[in-house]
């Protein structure tokens, strides 16, 4: 049994022998640093005799180890044990105290010749000197180590129950974290809280605890060589270390050997299983060492922390470097590492760790604000989603620079510029592009040797600039820059920024009307976000905005609702106000698609809340907001007001203009002014290349033409709309365009000659699939009196010549009336004309 001090090795064996008494006799020897082989074997024989393992006639009773007691005499003892009438279990406890090689060799000789009647239980802190590997290979060794003796969560619960100590689940987690399952640590934690609140004591339980310190000083530190003690003290400033880091801190070239010896000797030191070149001290042990270091040499900790920080900078671990500079209270160096190396990590999964490392610097800003501490506090506020505090801290730092004697470093200027970019994304959306250009100008002036993170800063600025260009409406420019940013971010491991670029590319796909590509990209990014636990990251808001709009266009309203809910959940703590506004615009669209005026008003209130966050909006977002708001007002009966506010605006070929013209046409149709709707829409070619708007313009043109009794034209427009919508699965324009669409779709279905799944689904969702009289309400050109007379003859068996004779007109006149009737009823045969006339109660 091998484990460090405090693992309960002796207690474990004693408990086992009580619970499962071994056959025969049990002899126990607590070993000390004996004077030699004779003394050691004399103690063994004494322990055997005290346990009653030596009958009066045993040859062992005659052996008295003396000065000449060698391996030959040891063989006499072994032979005597072999002749024992009953099995013997011999426990040798604390073997680590044996330092004489000849004594260890005699034990090894006993093991080599171990009699069948003898069971050996060896208890030690280190097994390296016993040479037991061959026994292990031969299957003769059962090894119990610290890993077996470490308390599990269930063990801790049972221990607290037996100690009659009430603990919460959080207390148990804290105990496990602080003690790492070290049995003595748990016992001391409970003892230290016996007369106090355990919850409060557990939270404060450290290596400086009086009981812990006393135990470790007596059981561990006092037995170490002075050189090893100095090594432990100097390396206690780091939580984990490599041999190279230990050499940097201690100055010892043999650091790897020292660490390996500490592990082998179970001096509360472990080699990390997932990183075999790294070592760590038990947390309580390390805290005691750090406390002793500060007490014995108060100036040493700061110097050692700086050395550690410099080592971590060289090893490309800026977060650990910041943590050690902060521990040394070197705020300027912590800020320098932040601004020149570490800041891009705020856009990575390491962001919480970076904020935690900066926490002491942030706390210092509350006591003694400087440029360095204020900028660190600004980054912590950013990570916490408190953008107002971030901006305030950055502005205070900027004022100190302006009013102070020292010139700002380029790293400091970049950090301030980055906070202004974040402020623009959050509440000054119209300034995004300009703020990013300012960062790019700064970065272009600095050599990479001065600011290693400069390429990352340039990439951050370029990505955010692309987002700003999208929000302005420069779709093609935004698409190219976003694709570049996505690929570049992936190549350097900035995965969250790569996701942010990808989410805005889904919005680009949607604006371009590429719904299948939007769906593919949404599903791909959503899978990555789910796998990596990023579904609530602010960078995902644009993903949910695109998903909501895509599902809305495809009339998948339940899925659209879900995407809106996910987007709202991700908004908390996020700076992407533009994407939030798009999410809320999608929510208004969903309510409109359902025809729920109450839900429309409620969704508009949330949209206005998102709009109020930013001082003003860039062109595309402003248009999106205004168009959705106008469409909501049409639903709630304010079409005339929408016309007054929107009519007369100049036309252009932008995406924003296509949205505005569509909604104005809807307003005209809502108040019965179809001619002005058609004039507003113009030709569908004017809406290219925005496919979704082309489809909606065709649908609205069909409705307007039907209202003007131009049924053939209406059918042409509805056919064009179906032809464009089918490849991308777009259904929303048909659903929200009013009841006339149902009849037009049904008639198109009859005249198309072939029926697709998309068209059948479209007819169903528009309400035209449940009744044979669904298009009865479509206006037709009125029949003349003479045509009505001819119509009444069609159900009869009369031929055209007979009808002509009966009406005293020519056959050609009857045929002309028939063709006109067919055209006005939208049919091509006499039987269909009769059916349609009966549907409309004309006969």
């Amino acid at each position: 049994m091998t484990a460090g001090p405090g693992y309960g090795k002796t207690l474990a064996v004693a408990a086992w022998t009580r619970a499962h008494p071994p056959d025969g006799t049990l002899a126990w020897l607590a070993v000390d640093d004996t004077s030699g082989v004779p003394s050691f074997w004399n103690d063994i024989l004494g322990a055997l005799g005290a346990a009653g393992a030596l009958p009066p006639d045993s040859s062992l009773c005659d052996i008295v180890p003396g000065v000449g007691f060698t391996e030959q005499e040891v063989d006499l003892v072994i032979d005597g044990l072999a002749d024992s009438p009953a099995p013997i279990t011999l426990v040798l406890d604390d073997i680590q105290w044996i330092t004489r090689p000849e004594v260890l060799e005699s034990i090894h000789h006993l093991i080599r010749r171990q009699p069948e009647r003898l069971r050996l239980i060896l208890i030690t802190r280190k097994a390296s000197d016993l040479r037991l590997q061959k026994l292990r290979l031969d299957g003769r060794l059962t090894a119990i180590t610290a890993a077996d003796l470490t308390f599990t969560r269930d063990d801790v619960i049972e221990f607290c129950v037996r100690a009659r100590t009430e603990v919460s689940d959080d207390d148990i987690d804290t105990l496990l974290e602080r003690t790492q399952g070290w049995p003595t640590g748990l016992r001391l934690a409970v003892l230290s809280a016996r007369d106090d609140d355990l919850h409060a004591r557990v939270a404060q339980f450290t290596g400086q605890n009086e009981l812990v310190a006393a135990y470790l000083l007596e059981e561990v530190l006092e037995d170490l060589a002075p050189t090893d003690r100095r090594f432990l003290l100097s390396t206690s400033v780091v939580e984990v270390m490599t041999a190279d880091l230990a050499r940097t801190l201690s100055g010892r070239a043999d650091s790897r050997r020292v660490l390996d010896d500490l592990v082998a000797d179970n001096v509360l030191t472990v080699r990390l299983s997932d990183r075999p070149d790294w070592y760590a001290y038990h947390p309580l042990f390390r805290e005691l060492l750090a406390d002793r270091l500060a007490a014995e040499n108060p100036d040493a900790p700061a110097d050692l922390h700086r050395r550690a920080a410099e080592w971590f900078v060289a090893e490309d671990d800026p977060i650990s470097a910041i943590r050690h500079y902060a521990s040394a209270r070197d705020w300027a160096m912590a800020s320098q590492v932040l601004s020149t190396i570490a800041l891009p990590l705020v856009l990575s999964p390491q962001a919480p760790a970076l904020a935690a490392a900066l926490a002491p610097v942030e706390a210092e800003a509350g006591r003694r604000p400087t440029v360095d501490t204020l900028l660190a506090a600004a980054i912590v506020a950013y990570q916490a989603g408190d953008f107002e505090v971030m901006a305030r801290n950055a502005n205070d730092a900027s004022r100190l620079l302006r009013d102070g004697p020292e010139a700002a470093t380029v790293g400091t200027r970049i950090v301030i510029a980055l906070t202004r970019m974040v402020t623009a994304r959050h509440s000054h959306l119209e300034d995004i592009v300009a703020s990013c250009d300012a960062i790019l100008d700064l970065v272009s002036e600095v050599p990479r040797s001065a600011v290693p993170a400069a390429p990352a800063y340039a990439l951050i600025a370029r990505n955010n600039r692309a987002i700003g260009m999208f929000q302005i409406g420069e779709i093609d420019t935004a698409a190219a820059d976003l694709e570049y940013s996505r690929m570049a971010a992936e190549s350097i491991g900035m995965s969250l920024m790569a996701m942010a670029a990808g989410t805005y590319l889904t919005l680009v796909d949607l604006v371009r009307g590429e719904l299948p590509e939007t769906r593919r990209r949404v599903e791909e990014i959503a899978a990555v976000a789910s796998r990596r636990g990023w579904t609530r990251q602010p960078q995902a808001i644009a993903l949910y905005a695109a998903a909501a709009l895509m599902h809305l266009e495809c009339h998948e309203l339940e899925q659209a609702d879900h995407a809106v809910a996910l987007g709202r959940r991700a908004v908390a703590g996020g700076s992407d106000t533009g994407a939030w506004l798009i999410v809320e615009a999608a929510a208004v669209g969903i309510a409109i698609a359902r025809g729920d005026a109450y839900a429309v008003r409620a969704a508009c209130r949330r949209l206005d809340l998102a709009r109020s966050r930013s001082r003003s909006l860039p062109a595309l977002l402003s248009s999106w907001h205004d168009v959705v708001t106008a469409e909501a007002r049409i639903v709630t009966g304010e079409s005339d007001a929408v016309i007054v506010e929107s009519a007369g605006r100049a036309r252009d070929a932008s995406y924003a203009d296509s949205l505005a013209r569509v909604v104005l046409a809807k307003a005209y149709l809502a108040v019965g002014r179809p001619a002005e709707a058609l004039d507003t829409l113009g030709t569908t070619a004017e809406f290219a290349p925005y496919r979704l708007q082309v489809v909606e313009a065709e649908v609205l043109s069909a409705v307007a033409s039907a209202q003007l009794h131009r049924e053939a034209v209406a059918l042409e427009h509805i056919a064009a709309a179906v032809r464009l919508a089918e490849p991308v699965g777009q259904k929303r324009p048909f659903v929200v365009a009013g009841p006339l669409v149902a009849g037009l779709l049904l008639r198109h279905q009859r005249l198309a000659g072939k029926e697709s799944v998309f068209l059948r689904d479209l007819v169903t969702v528009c309400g035209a699939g449940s009744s044979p009289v669904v298009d009865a309400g479509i206006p037709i050109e009125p029949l003349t009196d003479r045509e009505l007379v001819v119509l009444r003859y069609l159900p009869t068996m009369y031929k055209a010549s007979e009808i002509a004779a009966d009406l005293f007109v020519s056959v050609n006149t009857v045929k002309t009336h028939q063709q006109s009737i067919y055209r006005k009823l939208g049919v091509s045969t006499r039987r269909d004309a009769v059916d349609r006339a009966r549907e409309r109660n004309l006969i």
Side-chain angles (χ1 to χ4, degrees), residues 516-797:
E517 178 63 15
T518 304
R519 187 182 298 273
R520 182 199 65 78
R521 202 188 296 264
V522 163
E523 292 175 351
E524 181 180 280
I525 298 174
V528 172
S530 178
R531 186 170 66 251
R532 296 186 177 180
W534 293 348
T535 56
R536 295 186 181 220
Q537 287 288 340
Q539 289 85 349
I541 302 173
L543 172 69
Y544 301 129
L549 289 174
M550 175 199 69
H551 289 304
L552 173 60
E553 290 297 329
C554 297
H555 199 62
E556 299 162 350
L557 301 188
E558 295 297 327
Q559 296 96 315
D561 276 334
H562 182 62
V564 167
L566 292 175
R568 287 170 176 167
R569 186 181 66 176
V571 163
S575 62
D576 197 349
T577 298
W580 179 28
L581 187 139
I582 299 172
V583 167
E584 298 303 343
V588 176
I590 294 167
I592 291 172
R594 288 195 168 110
D596 186 340
Y598 176 81
V600 168
R601 292 188 181 94
C604 281
R605 288 193 291 271
R606 299 194 71 150
L607 175 63
D608 290 341
L609 179 63
R611 168 65 186 86
S612 67
R613 179 186 277 183
S614 180
R615 183 176 56 192
S616 60
L617 295 178
L620 178 56
L621 292 184
S622 178
S623 177
W624 234 327
H625 170 269
D626 293 345
V627 163
V628 170
T629 301
E631 190 164 0
R633 294 173 67 190
I634 293 171
V635 171
T636 56
E638 300 177 56
S639 300
D640 287 323
V642 171
I643 292 170
V644 170
E645 294 169 8
S646 305
R649 58 175 290 170
R651 293 183 181 179
D652 57 47
S654 68
Y655 177 71
D657 179 68
S658 69
L659 294 174
R661 288 165 62 187
V662 164
V663 79
L664 180 58
K666 289 181 179 180
Y668 279 129
L669 288 173
V671 296
R673 294 162 65 177
E676 288 156 293
L678 286 172
D679 182 61
T680 298
L681 292 169
T683 63
T684 52
E686 298 175 37
F687 290 85
Y690 309 114
R691 185 188 196 110
L692 304 185
Q693 283 62 52
V694 173
V695 171
E696 190 147 26
E698 291 283 11
V699 172
L700 295 175
S701 295
V703 172
S705 299
Q707 288 184 358
L708 292 170
H709 307 299
R710 301 171 185 169
E711 193 163 345
V713 176
L715 288 172
E716 290 175 5
H717 282 299
I718 208 70
V722 171
R723 185 174 62 254
L724 287 169
E726 184 168 5
V728 297
Q730 186 186 15
K731 296 176 182 176
R732 181 195 58 82
F734 301 91
V735 176
V736 300
L740 295 182
V741 173
L744 290 171
L745 284 172
L746 186 61
R747 188 169 302 175
H748 168 69
Q749 186 181 37
R750 289 172 177 167
L751 297 176
K754 63 177 182 178
E755 181 180 330
S756 67
V757 173
F758 174 78
L759 180 56
R760 185 168 63 248
D761 291 345
L762 199 56
V763 168
T764 300
V765 298
C766 290
S770 59
S771 169
V773 294
V774 290
D775 58 349
I778 300 176
I780 62 169
E781 188 176 345
L783 300 181
T784 64
D785 291 341
R786 179 58 69 174
E787 288 167 349
L788 287 171
V789 171
V790 173
L791 178 63
R792 293 188 180 97
Y793 280 94
L794 297 185
T796 69
M797 301 296 294

Side-chain angles (χ1 to χ4, degrees), residues 96-107:
Q96 74 274 0
W97 299 126
I98 301 176
T99 59
R100 292 175 177 267
E102 63 271 20
V103 178
L104 290 171
E105 178 57 33
S106 71
I107 296 174

Side-chain angles (χ1 to χ4, degrees), residues 172-183:
I172 291 171
D173 291 338
T174 304
L175 278 171
L176 278 171
E177 179 184 357
R178 302 297 302 131
T179 66
Q180 301 288 297
W182 182 40

Side-chain angles (χ1 to χ4, degrees), residues 65 495 535 806:
S495 46
T535 56
D806 205 43

Side-chain angles (χ1 to χ4, degrees), residues 80 94 108 116-117 179 218 256 310 425 432 436 486 500 502 520 565 664 820 842:
D94 282 338
H108 188 60
E116 186 177 343
R117 308 290 281 172
T179 66
E218 179 179 344
R256 180 176 293 280
E310 292 167 2
R425 288 286 306 274
I432 293 177
C436 293
R486 185 188 65 80
R520 182 199 65 78
L664 180 58
S820 180
L842 296 177

Side-chain angles (χ1 to χ4, degrees), residues 470-550:
F470 173 83
Q471 294 179 358
I472 288 171
E474 297 292 338
I475 306 300
D476 293 338
T477 301
D481 285 346
L482 285 167
E483 185 59 34
Y484 170 85
S485 298
R486 185 188 65 80
M487 295 177 65
E490 285 182 350
S491 69
I492 62 175
M494 297 182 68
S495 46
L496 270 175
M497 190 172 78
M499 185 177 81
T503 61
Y504 266 88
L505 282 169
T506 61
L507 285 169
V508 168
D509 293 336
L510 186 123
V511 168
R512 288 173 168 172
E514 299 168 359
L515 293 181
E517 178 63 15
T518 304
R519 187 182 298 273
R520 182 199 65 78
R521 202 188 296 264
V522 163
E523 292 175 351
E524 181 180 280
I525 298 174
V528 172
S530 178
R531 186 170 66 251
R532 296 186 177 180
W534 293 348
T535 56
R536 295 186 181 220
Q537 287 288 340
Q539 289 85 349
I541 302 173
L543 172 69
Y544 301 129
L549 289 174
M550 175 199 69

